[in-house]
Amino acid sequence: MDKYEWLLFLHVSGAFLLIGGIVVAWTFGIAAVRRELPSEIALLMRLTGAAAAAIGIGMVTTLVFGLWLVSYLDFYKWTDGWILAALITWLIAGPLGGAGGKRDKETRQFAERLAAEGDTPSAELQARVRDPIALALNLGSSLLALAILVLMIWKPGAGG
Amino acid sequence: MIAFLRPDGWDFPLFVHVLGAMALFGGVGAIFLLSLAGQRMPEQAVFARRTAFVTLLAVVWPAYVVMRVGAQWIFDKEDLDPDMPTWISTGIVVGDGGALVLIALTVLGWLALRRKPSVARYFAGLAGVYLVALVVAWWAMTAKPGA
């Protein structure tokens, strides 16, 4: 494998971690909405933490190796529209996902506390699991990550 | 170099294939995590097994179909027969072999849920092996050895 192939593999690996992690997080998030027992919700939200780690690593990896690829290849420029659009989208998606993840973490801690205190269903926990602000933040960051994938494949404005 | 020379008409099939593959990786990752949690937390084992099985049916299988349809779509456009490069062969082995793995996971998941909980460890092991196979496949698809 030459340097280009390594850079591309690591860049794409970051994308797999990012989008794969988002799929895991949504899978567990939707499953949590359908549960009532705090212990079950706490388990799902703890596992979402592993997905969040994959998303974080994926975001950093795609950026680092993506920028490296741009500097390595002569025919792409930092100022290409699709690269700038991807960078701006990346910059917006990160904080959005981080804010959603922070609210999810608070819900997980609440679920863990309820699980330790008798594990009985709670209306407040149900409301927190369905938190529309967290949902909007997570949905927004997920759609932006998808938009980055679209930009990477179509490369609008790039020749060839 | 194929990424630079790719005709515009290949973009959408490639998007379908890549998105399906990423969702498949995430779905298999989810059932692997649930299986491990079920092994390590006996009091949550039944719930974890049930959620893993539902995830297999609702996320992993549909993602596999999207990935495989996208793969066939772009393969037909690339017209690579009869000289099949190594990277395509690797993708086909992991792609088509994946159907057998998913059938095995479905049987094991059902058995773990309904008949024999002890097979849950094989479910977890097979999901882990398939995750590694998916990494090998995306390495072959991106690095394109033999291209």
Side-chain angles (χ1 to χ4, degrees), chain A residues 1 13 16 24 39 46 153, chain B residues 4 6 26 41 44 138-139 143:
Chain A
M1 278 173 74
S13 296
F16 266 81
V24 176
S39 59
R46 267 199 302 276
I153 288 181
Chain B
F4 316 137
R6 193 175 63 232
M41 302 167 73
Q44 298 275 14
W138 92 55
W139 167 76

Side-chain angles (χ1 to χ4, degrees), chain A residues 4-62:
Chain A
Y4 163 72
E5 289 164 346
W6 272 112
L7 292 176
L8 184 62
F9 170 65
L10 292 169
H11 178 60
V12 171
S13 296
F16 266 81
L17 284 175
L18 172 60
I19 304 288
I22 289 171
V23 170
V24 176
W26 278 104
T27 300
F28 294 154
I30 291 167
V33 166
R34 299 165 61 89
R35 308 310 304 173
E36 286 191 350
L37 279 182
S39 59
E40 294 178 347
I41 293 170
L43 171 66
L44 290 167
M45 299 202 82
R46 267 199 302 276
L47 294 178
T48 306
I55 292 167
I57 294 168
M59 287 204 74
V60 172
T61 309
T62 50

Side-chain angles (χ1 to χ4, degrees), chain B residues 30-120:
Chain B
I31 64 172
F32 181 63
L33 285 173
L34 284 163
S35 306
L36 288 186
Q39 297 288 309
R40 294 181 58 169
M41 302 167 73
E43 72 280 5
Q44 298 275 14
V46 174
F47 167 65
R49 283 201 296 270
R50 191 186 321 124
T51 308
F53 189 65
V54 171
T55 301
L56 177 66
L57 298 181
V59 179
V60 176
W61 270 110
Y64 175 82
V65 170
V66 171
M67 181 279 296
R68 192 63 190 83
V69 167
Q72 193 61 47
W73 192 356
I74 197 159
F75 179 75
D76 291 344
K77 282 180 178 288
E78 290 192 43
D79 196 22
L80 287 165
D81 274 333
D83 287 330
M84 199 101 75
T86 309
W87 61 276
I88 288 279
S89 305
T90 307
I92 289 172
V93 167
V94 176
D96 291 357
L100 297 176
V101 173
L102 293 189
I103 289 168
L105 280 171
T106 306
V107 172
L108 288 173
W110 182 83
L111 281 174
L113 203 55
R114 301 282 180 198
R115 296 266 188 262
K116 206 173 176 188
S118 61
V119 303

Side-chain angles (χ1 to χ4, degrees), chain A residues 114-131:
Chain A
L114 290 177
E117 293 170 354
D119 203 21
T120 51
S122 150
E124 187 182 349
L125 179 59
Q126 292 296 307
R128 285 198 191 193
V129 168
R130 293 171 171 79
D131 176 16

Side-chain angles (χ1 to χ4, degrees), chain A residues 65-153:
Chain A
F65 291 103
L67 294 177
W68 199 339
L69 271 170
V70 173
S71 69
Y72 182 72
L73 299 170
D74 292 334
F75 46 86
Y76 292 144
K77 303 275 180 292
W78 305 96
T79 49
D80 285 354
W82 66 278
I83 293 172
L84 283 176
L87 286 172
I88 292 166
T89 309
W90 188 98
L91 284 173
I92 299 169
L96 275 183
K102 188 166 175 264
R103 294 178 80 91
D104 287 341
K105 186 180 176 186
E106 289 165 2
T107 303
R108 172 179 60 81
Q109 289 167 340
F110 183 59
E112 286 173 341
R113 201 163 62 239
L114 290 177
E117 293 170 354
D119 203 21
T120 51
S122 150
E124 187 182 349
L125 179 59
Q126 292 296 307
R128 285 198 191 193
V129 168
R130 293 171 171 79
D131 176 16
I133 296 173
L135 179 69
L137 290 167
N138 291 330
L139 187 61
S141 68
S142 301
L143 290 175
L144 289 174
L146 197 61
I148 294 173
L149 180 63
V150 168
L151 286 167
M152 292 295 117
I153 288 181

